[in-house]
Amino acid sequence: MTAEQTAPPQPGSGPVASQSASAAPPDVRIGVIGVGRMGADHVDRLSRRIKGARVSVLSDYLRETAEKVSATAPGSRVVDTWQEVIAAADVDAVLIASPGQFHREQVLACLEAGKPVLCEKPLAMNPSDAYDVVRAEHEAGRALVSLGFMRRFDAGYGQLKDALEAGELGTPLLLNCKHRNASVLPGFTDTHMVYDSAVHEIDAISFFLDEPVVSVQTVMPRSTEKAPEGLHDPLLFLFRTASGTVVTDELWVSTDAGYEVRTELVGSKGAATVGQEAGMVTTQQAGSRWGGAVPLDFRPRFLAAYDAEVQAWVAAVADGSNIAPRSATAWDGYVAAAVCEAAEQSLAADGAVAVTLRDRPA
Ligand code: ISE
């Protein structure tokens, strides 16, 4: 039997299930949809650093890009369409890294095929589309959808979550977030500020506080002269949760400097900050300055988090649980989309905009 003819594992059983105790489990065969900047990064980690998996099939709307990336992933092959990736017999699980507007349809197709999927954020570009995925997964009767909010796998994020769960910080009063990018791609708009960037802090609220956001307000300082035409940058978002915790998110995406993501939790028993590490701090630079270095973008800054996220997902697929502990789910993707919608509305609103959530399927 060739690899192509091998039957995919029964969904939920994982590719390991049929192996004897002594045999090494077979690699999970991953199909990757979209191999631009983020997808190519995932192919690289799957081919070089992740244990127990390999890329078997990939596609991109630019065939030439797909061919180039495939050449770096031993044993992979290119197909013309994303539908072929999902349907391929030698694909056990799917990683989606295409642009956000395609995610709903592609994740629904994975559910239809009964294949576990790790989809890059956002799950969808609006709450209604995201809820379609929640409903379809519920109807399928099995949890298959993981969402790529990689910060959940960052070591600092994990420590802060542990401290909160252990009660070390007391009751959360404030969550103060800072998110800075050196620059953004051409065409980046205020909508991208919300759905592409602030969405990470919006998911951080679910991750750390585990309760719904009830309202969001945007405060617009004057923009930096470095902001691309038409972009309001920086922005300050204020979120309020059901129990009264306030979350501030200072988002500035054209600093022309480095990449910084800092998160401070102020609790009734104490405050804790993560994301300040700068590697080596130099105190004897020329000109009597002191300082360290910041990474230029999110890939080096969150490399270890991405690796941990994909490794945990591969392990979950292999053991049949399909979704790693602490991973974002389809529901988290829906919640993020609902909060993003209110945040986008708040850009033009005078005051806070309420967030409403549909019922969570049992
Ligand atoms: C980008 O899409 C990301 O996901 C990065 O983590 C974020 O920092 C950046 O602002 C987004 O554009």
Side-chain angles (χ1 to χ4, degrees):
M1 235 189 198
T2 65
E4 295 262 75
Q5 292 163 325
T6 311
Q10 282 310 300
S13 63
V16 170
S18 59
Q19 295 297 303
S20 74
S22 57
D27 283 345
V28 178
R29 298 161 304 176
I30 312 287
V32 181
I33 298 175
V35 290
R37 186 162 67 150
M38 202 60 241
D41 213 49
H42 282 314
V43 169
D44 184 59
R45 74 171 36 81
L46 281 162
S47 307
R48 263 159 272 290
R49 296 191 295 281
I50 302 300
K51 294 191 175 56
R54 67 179 173 85
V55 178
S56 52
V57 181
L58 58 85
S59 75
D60 193 273
Y61 79 103
L62 295 173
R63 174 92 196 190
E64 202 186 325
T65 304
E67 299 284 359
K68 268 193 200 142
V69 174
S70 177
T72 69
S76 69
R77 67 191 169 91
V78 174
V79 292
D80 284 332
T81 64
W82 59 263
Q83 287 89 343
E84 289 169 78
V85 174
I86 297 171
D90 54 340
V91 164
D92 303 314
V94 181
L95 193 157
I96 297 176
S98 56
Q101 65 266 33
F102 302 113
H103 290 178
R104 171 190 174 276
E105 205 186 350
Q106 292 169 344
V107 174
L108 288 176
C110 291
L111 286 171
E112 184 80 32
K115 295 193 179 179
V117 52
L118 171 60
C119 178
E120 269 300 329
K121 58 84 198 169
L123 179 57
M125 301 307 287
N126 61 66
S128 162
D129 281 1
Y131 199 78
D132 286 347
V133 176
V134 170
R135 202 177 4 216
E137 188 181 47
H138 181 63
E139 282 163 14
R142 291 183 25 250
L144 290 171
V145 182
S146 304
L147 199 58
F149 281 117
M150 79 297 186
R151 289 190 193 175
R152 289 171 174 244
F153 294 87
D154 173 62
Y157 256 48
Q159 279 174 303
L160 186 50
K161 173 88 174 155
D162 290 344
L164 265 171
E165 283 182 354
E168 289 165 23
L169 301 172
T171 307
L173 309 174
L174 286 160
L175 182 67
N176 295 315
C177 308
K178 286 190 199 308
H179 183 166
R180 295 181 184 153
N181 291 194
S183 60
V184 283
L185 296 172
F188 204 83
T189 63
D190 286 355
T191 299
H192 291 104
M193 291 285 269
V194 174
Y195 278 89
D196 212 46
S197 300
V199 69
H200 283 292
E201 283 75 42
I202 289 170
D203 183 62
I205 303 174
S206 297
F207 182 62
F208 289 122
L209 304 179
D210 202 17
E211 61 166 335
V213 169
V214 292
S215 70
V216 49
Q217 181 172 2
T218 305
V219 180
M220 278 187 194
R222 69 173 171 214
S223 286
T224 164
E225 61 277 11
K226 291 172 187 156
E229 184 74 25
L231 191 71
H232 291 100
D233 188 35
L235 288 177
L236 180 64
F237 297 98
L238 298 174
F239 304 91
R240 185 176 286 277
T241 69
S243 73
T245 305
V246 168
V247 180
T248 64
D249 181 16
E250 181 215 292
L251 178 64
W252 181 16
V253 300
S254 48
T255 65
D256 208 13
Y259 185 75
E260 291 172 81
V261 168
R262 273 182 237 149
T263 312
E264 180 195 42
L265 190 292
V266 181
S268 56
K269 287 191 192 165
T273 305
V274 295
Q276 266 178 326
E277 70 279 0
M280 185 175 72
V281 174
T282 316
T283 53
Q284 306 218 323
Q285 287 182 338
S288 304
R289 298 168 60 164
W290 71 274
V294 286
L296 281 182
D297 73 36
F298 51 90
R299 289 166 300 172
R301 164 65 179 86
F302 284 113
L303 185 127
Y306 280 118
D307 283 0
E309 171 191 65
V310 175
Q311 187 65 73
W313 175 62
V314 164
V317 171
D319 74 17
S321 59
N322 293 328
I323 300 182
R326 289 197 169 173
S327 168
T329 61
W331 177 254
D332 295 313
Y334 162 69
V335 170
V339 179
C340 279
E341 185 179 61
E344 191 181 20
Q345 286 166 1
S346 81
L347 292 169
D350 191 13
V353 173
V355 178
T356 43
L357 293 180
R358 297 200 210 173
D359 289 339
R360 183 173 191 166

